[in-house]
Amino acid sequence: MWSDFESSVDYLNFGEVSSLAVDILKSNNMLPVSIGVFGNWGAGKSSLLKIIEKQISDEGGEEILVVNFDAWLYQGYDDARAALLEVIATKLNEAAQGDEGVVKKTFNLFQRVDKVRALGLTIEGVALAHGIPTGGLVSRGLNAVKDIFSNGVNEDNYQNSMKAGSEIAKLGLIKDKELSTPPQQIDLFRNEYNDILKILNKKLIVFIDNLDRCLPHNAIQTLEAIRLFLFLPNTAFVIAADEDMIRTSVSEYFKGTSARHHIDYLDKLIQVPIRVPRTGLLEIRSYLFLLHAVNSGVDENLIEDLRVALEVSLQESWHQDPMKKEDALKILKCEDNIELAISFDQVDRIAPIFATSPIIHGNPRIVKRLLNVVKMRSNIARRRKISLDENVITKLVIFERCAGEEAANALYSMIDTNKNYNKVISNLESERLVELPDYVPPAWKKDESTSDFILKWLELEPKLSDKNLRAAVYLSRETMPAGHYVIGLSPKARDALGVLVSTKRKSSQAASKALKDISKDEVIPVMEGIIEHLRSITEWSNQPDGFAGAVLLADSNLEAAKSLKRFITGIHDQPHWMNMLLKNKAWNN
């Protein structure tokens, strides 16, 4: 199995891109600067940040202070702008240790951060927490401060924000007269920060990750905090984000603005955009070689030798053939490792689909997750003494991901009911088809991209027509995402699951009837199917379809109730309707 954590090891040939960023960050003429590392979810943005940071360190980064800020980590716990200021102040305090005068200055920065919170510079600060009324003068003043962050200082928002500070001071929340002028407070933080960097004779680089995972409010708060430092000497920001997601956040936060303003907002903050390179066939092939080498337990030094050799091979691929798998095994000193050799053979078969499928699109995170599903099913099969080739599992997992849920359901239903499966697959595998025939399931021909994929998939080894795949259907039921639990269930249980996931009220007669159609052996799989449906719910303020069905099933079976309780325990801040629905339930106590 492979973890989903970012890595400072360059498995995807990001070296040239990271070197470009490092050259900019280490150039005195380029600072201050903001670099945007843009890419889709799972493309490797976080790993690229780690690679840039490591490269700076390896090239002698003693004069550089590095701050890592995970914007998502603070969501819901602190104001994003104040949190970023505090993380920067903490790094400066660490660097100042041994110089009492500088340490004292850094503590002044911490006090500034506290005062920023108290002032209400972040709208949701301590002022509101102390019951300051949100209407009238104070509300206008606090919103004026928000306007300062967004649009700069003008006469109106400056005067309104000063009045807000005076009003807060009258309530006894702050004692320092300095706090009554928010623009001055911002300037004081900037000035003290700048003085500390000069004394330390250091550059400061802030790596900001997971910004695109934040809610629009938190994402924009973080971007606005960056604006405080954009034009200060010796400071750089490297921001990893999905560009489209951030622009969506801008449109949500600044409602009523045009698409041009959304683009302009980000363009003003990001001076140097860098795009994560798209992974092609050769990059995916090399990535898979390395993942399998890591999983096989090969010595780390040998894996690094292979990584370097593959990197050179990729750089020379414009005029040389890619590295052969035999050469990769030789570098790893694994010529006799049959299991690893089989894995490398599999890589050459599946890499083209991973690289070209519009569903996978060479995305490293998706690739890793698919491999983890394969390993998970292989481990389950081994423990349960199910004889099932891992190559077969891999081929089916690829089908599930790329052909889609409906097409996978059709395939597994055909296997499960043994309706012409061997004949259909045998005919398909024995012919060189340019299009799918009419006798295949309709879901396989629902659109051109699905049909094209299935045609390529049929050419993958191993052939499946001579294999009993009922065990594979059983394994898929335990590890496939929502929607696939219908596979392997009896027709009555499948229908019952469909009714329960759409049930809105416990008084539903259709749901009560459906419960009677579920055999004792199928209660748990049906509950798992409902729970997987509920896992897709992101907004719990209102009761979603299916929750009442889950409660009805839990009421009828103690083991099913235990499964539902485990799921409910993981829901934070359970809404009022849920507490009322579960009130007096013995299985929930």
Side-chain angles (χ1 to χ4, degrees):
M1 302 287 282
W2 295 270
S3 70
D4 194 28
F5 294 113
E6 64 274 6
S7 172
S8 60
V9 180
D10 185 7
Y11 285 174
L12 290 164
N13 195 29
F14 284 167
E16 293 181 356
V17 175
S18 64
S19 295
L20 172 64
V22 170
D23 289 343
I24 294 171
L25 293 170
K26 296 189 74 174
S27 172
N28 292 329
N29 295 331
M30 289 298 297
L31 300 184
V33 69
S34 57
I35 298 176
V37 176
F38 296 137
N40 295 331
W41 172 89
K45 300 185 296 298
S46 298
S47 291
L48 183 52
L49 290 192
K50 290 293 183 184
I51 292 168
I52 294 171
E53 181 181 347
K54 183 177 184 298
Q55 195 169 338
I56 288 172
S57 176
D58 292 345
E59 294 181 9
E62 297 83 5
E63 80 286 358
I64 296 175
L65 301 177
V66 172
V67 172
N68 288 291
F69 183 78
D70 187 330
W72 194 35
L73 183 65
Y74 293 92
Q75 181 163 283
Y77 297 96
D78 193 5
D79 178 274
R81 288 174 292 208
L84 177 57
L85 300 183
E86 190 162 0
V87 169
I88 290 173
T90 300
K91 174 59 67 173
L92 293 177
N93 180 264
E94 291 174 0
Q97 294 303 310
D99 189 323
E100 186 176 345
V102 182
V103 169
K104 185 176 180 180
K105 284 180 174 290
T106 63
F107 278 115
N108 287 340
L109 279 186
F110 285 115
Q111 292 175 357
R112 297 283 173 217
V113 175
D114 290 339
K115 291 172 182 177
V116 164
R117 287 191 176 101
L119 250 180
L121 288 179
T122 55
I123 306 305
E124 297 80 19
V126 175
L128 295 180
H130 281 73
I132 295 176
T134 57
L137 176 63
V138 173
S139 178
R140 289 196 301 274
L142 294 178
N143 280 290
V145 177
K146 176 179 176 180
D147 190 40
I148 289 173
F149 271 103
S150 302
N151 303 313
V153 179
N154 59 48
E155 183 63 25
D156 288 339
N157 60 35
Y158 182 87
Q159 292 298 330
N160 285 334
S161 62
M162 288 182 65
K163 290 177 183 178
S166 299
E167 199 70 19
I168 296 171
K170 290 178 182 178
L171 295 174
L173 292 180
I174 50 177
K175 306 298 181 182
D176 192 338
K177 291 182 180 179
E178 181 184 88
L179 288 177
S180 63
T181 57
Q184 289 181 17
Q185 191 60 239
I186 295 171
D187 286 340
L188 286 168
F189 188 100
R190 287 164 54 92
N191 292 338
E192 290 176 354
Y193 162 85
N194 198 23
D195 289 342
I196 293 169
L197 269 190
K198 283 183 179 179
I199 296 172
L200 293 174
N201 194 27
K202 301 276 189 181
K203 300 174 184 175
L204 184 80
I205 300 176
V206 183
F207 291 93
I208 296 182
D209 198 8
N210 289 327
L211 190 61
D212 47 11
R213 292 190 180 189
C214 294
L215 295 171
H217 181 80
N218 293 73
I220 299 304
Q221 278 191 345
T222 304
L223 289 172
E224 289 178 351
I226 293 170
R227 293 176 63 174
L228 295 175
F229 297 89
L230 272 185
F231 303 108
L232 290 178
N234 297 322
T235 303
F237 285 86
V238 185
I239 305 159
D242 182 321
E243 193 172 7
D244 290 337
M245 289 289 289
I246 296 303
R247 285 176 177 163
T248 299
S249 294
V250 174
S251 67
E252 284 290 318
Y253 191 79
F254 300 105
K255 293 186 182 298
T257 54
S258 67
R260 183 180 62 80
H261 286 101
H262 306 159
I263 296 172
D264 289 348
Y265 183 91
L266 191 56
D267 288 347
K268 288 178 181 177
L269 284 169
I270 304 299
Q271 297 163 312
V272 181
I274 294 177
R275 316 229 174 258
V276 176
R278 180 185 170 186
T279 48
L281 170 58
L282 296 182
E283 285 80 12
I284 285 295
R285 180 177 183 267
S286 297
Y287 182 57
L288 291 170
F289 276 176
L290 288 166
L291 288 181
H292 282 296
V294 169
N295 192 62
S296 69
V298 176
D299 181 83
E300 290 182 2
N301 294 322
L302 295 175
I303 292 175
E304 176 60 15
D305 291 342
L306 176 60
R307 188 197 67 79
V308 172
L310 286 168
E311 185 176 63
V312 172
S313 176
L314 288 172
Q315 292 170 353
E316 299 294 327
S317 62
W318 62 277
H319 67 96
Q320 290 185 1
D321 291 335
M323 180 186 293
K324 296 179 180 179
K325 54 182 176 289
E326 293 81 6
D327 294 332
L329 290 168
K330 186 176 181 179
I331 292 172
L332 296 172
K333 299 182 179 179
C334 290
E335 295 96 325
D336 298 328
N337 189 325
I338 296 175
E339 186 176 347
L340 188 57
I342 292 173
S343 296
F344 280 7
D345 283 336
Q346 183 192 79
V347 165
D348 280 332
R349 290 195 295 271
I350 64 177
I353 284 184
F354 281 176
T356 60
S357 164
I359 303 298
I360 301 175
H361 214 60
N363 186 296
R365 181 171 291 163
I366 295 176
V367 168
K368 193 181 290 185
R369 289 189 175 187
L370 290 178
L371 293 180
N372 279 336
V373 171
V374 171
K375 287 297 180 185
M376 188 189 313
R377 294 187 190 179
S378 297
N379 292 339
I380 294 173
R382 193 176 299 114
R383 285 197 299 270
R384 299 185 185 180
K385 295 181 171 55
I386 297 173
S387 179
L388 198 59
D389 187 346
E390 189 170 288
N391 287 320
V392 172
I393 297 174
T394 302
K395 186 169 180 176
L396 292 174
V397 167
I398 290 173
F399 189 93
E400 293 164 11
R401 179 75 192 196
C402 297
E405 179 180 325
E406 189 178 353
N409 283 342
L411 172 64
Y412 288 161
S413 293
M414 190 164 52
I415 296 169
D416 201 34
T417 57
N418 200 27
K419 288 183 178 178
N420 299 320
Y421 162 71
N422 293 95
K423 182 179 179 180
V424 169
I425 297 299
S426 178
N427 289 342
L428 292 174
E429 289 180 342
S430 62
E431 302 175 26
R432 295 196 61 84
L433 302 168
V434 293
E435 64 179 22
L436 292 176
D438 292 336
Y439 57 77
V440 302
W444 291 16
K445 300 181 69 174
K446 66 178 181 179
D447 55 58
E448 186 177 346
S449 62
T450 301
S451 299
D452 288 345
F453 161 75
I454 293 176
L455 288 170
K456 294 178 183 177
W457 177 83
L458 288 166
E459 296 176 1
L460 278 179
E461 293 293 339
K463 301 300 183 183
L464 301 180
S465 58
D466 60 343
K467 294 178 174 57
N468 184 346
L469 298 179
R470 291 182 67 85
V473 173
Y474 169 78
L475 288 175
S476 72
R477 190 185 68 190
E478 297 207 351
T479 55
M480 284 176 73
H484 291 288
Y485 281 92
V486 295
I487 304 303
L489 292 177
S490 67
K492 284 188 175 181
R494 293 176 196 171
D495 292 341
L497 175 58
V499 171
L500 293 175
V501 296
S502 60
T503 298
K504 301 178 184 294
R505 297 180 300 277
K506 286 180 62 182
S507 59
S508 168
Q509 293 182 358
S512 298
K513 182 179 182 300
L515 291 176
K516 298 176 182 179
D517 291 333
I518 304 173
S519 68
K520 182 179 179 181
D521 293 338
E522 294 181 308
V523 168
I524 299 304
V526 169
M527 177 59 86
E528 288 174 341
I530 301 173
I531 290 173
E532 285 302 319
H533 160 72
L534 294 174
R535 288 189 196 281
S536 66
I537 305 299
T538 58
E539 174 55 57
W540 288 90
S541 58
N542 296 312
Q543 181 179 326
D545 292 354
F547 194 86
V551 173
L552 286 170
L553 187 58
D555 288 342
S556 70
N557 183 280
L558 182 57
E559 291 303 314
K562 290 178 180 178
S563 296
L564 180 59
K565 183 178 180 180
R566 284 194 296 271
F567 169 71
I568 291 171
T569 303
I571 300 176
H572 299 293
D573 300 325
Q574 293 179 10
H576 179 68
W577 64 261
M578 184 181 295
N579 293 328
M580 293 300 296
L581 190 63
L582 301 177
K583 189 177 180 180
N584 300 324
K585 294 290 182 185
W587 53 262
N588 193 45
N589 295 330

